[in-house]
Amino acid sequence: MLSEAGQDADPGALVARIADGDRSALAALFSAEAGRLVAVSRRILVRRELAEEVVQETFVTVWEKAHLFDAARGSARGWLTQIARNKALNLLRDGARLDFHDNETLAEFGDRHAGADDAFAALPETNALKRCLERLEPEKRRSILLAYVAGFTHGEIAAQMRSPVGTVKAWIRRGVIALQECLS
């Protein structure tokens, strides 16, 4: 991707420019990443308008806190995704903005558990992430998919998997570390 100035629209470079107060960098980052972040947020919240609101809030946070981004701790895309994911989960936990539906309507939204399984199954066999996920122990893989694809909290995952919350947290932490090593 090229920015308006013709430079590479590297998310890390754009965040650095945003930290310096460059509004055009914020616009370029929004253009490059907003669609992906809406998809991430929508998997958690289901409703598009709530996902879009989360993305809006994410970019406000990026504008305010770009100076806190540390490339040594991870990628800019990962940082953006984490901000959006946390905001979506907070909105989901708050529940104040969510509608309550009857059983028929809920069935139409689909099963979040199945969404995690479907997302994993949909990855092409040649995909590096799929190969790395397949190398994980089943509990670690399932925990990561439920947390990062379906948006479940550690407590919800623990209840579903009938395991202590601390164990689930350890599975996720160790699984993410193993994924990072496998993908690097």
Side-chain angles (χ1 to χ4, degrees):
M1 287 179 280
L2 295 178
S3 69
E4 294 165 333
Q7 301 167 339
D8 287 333
D10 169 52
L14 291 172
V15 171
R17 288 175 41 205
I18 293 166
D20 291 335
D22 185 345
R23 289 181 186 269
S24 66
L26 182 65
L29 187 64
F30 184 88
S31 178
E33 297 292 328
R36 184 180 64 78
L37 294 175
V38 167
V40 168
S41 300
R42 193 163 181 196
R43 283 194 175 179
I44 296 168
L45 297 168
V46 178
R47 291 178 40 197
R48 182 169 182 85
E49 68 274 10
L50 291 177
E52 290 172 351
E53 185 174 324
V54 162
V55 172
Q56 172 78 23
E57 291 175 15
T58 297
F59 281 94
V60 169
T61 300
V62 168
W63 178 253
E64 294 170 345
K65 299 189 178 193
H67 65 282
L68 297 176
F69 171 67
D70 181 4
R73 296 185 66 198
S75 72
R77 288 186 93 197
W79 184 64
L80 288 168
T81 304
Q82 191 65 35
I83 292 170
R85 180 182 173 278
N86 288 345
K87 288 188 178 296
L89 289 172
N90 287 343
L91 185 62
L92 187 64
R93 284 184 202 111
D94 176 35
R97 305 285 309 282
L98 301 178
D99 295 330
F100 294 94
H101 300 283
D102 58 42
N103 288 338
E104 289 177 22
T105 305
L106 288 175
E108 291 175 17
F109 285 135
D111 183 8
R112 284 170 48 201
H113 300 272
D117 295 332
D118 292 345
F120 175 67
L123 288 171
E125 292 300 321
T126 58
N127 186 286
L129 178 59
K130 183 163 190 166
R131 286 194 313 271
C132 291
L133 281 167
E134 287 173 337
R135 292 181 186 169
L136 294 177
E137 296 167 12
E139 297 85 7
K140 289 180 185 176
R141 178 177 50 248
R142 183 82 176 135
S143 297
I144 288 171
L145 290 171
L146 289 174
Y148 290 98
V149 175
F152 283 103
T153 65
H154 292 132
E156 291 169 332
I157 297 168
Q160 181 197 354
M161 297 182 74
R162 295 186 176 101
S163 299
V165 174
T167 301
V168 168
K169 287 181 178 181
W171 285 339
I172 293 171
R173 183 175 20 82
R174 291 178 187 144
V176 167
I177 290 169
L179 285 175
Q180 288 172 335
E181 289 173 0
C182 180
L183 291 168
S184 63

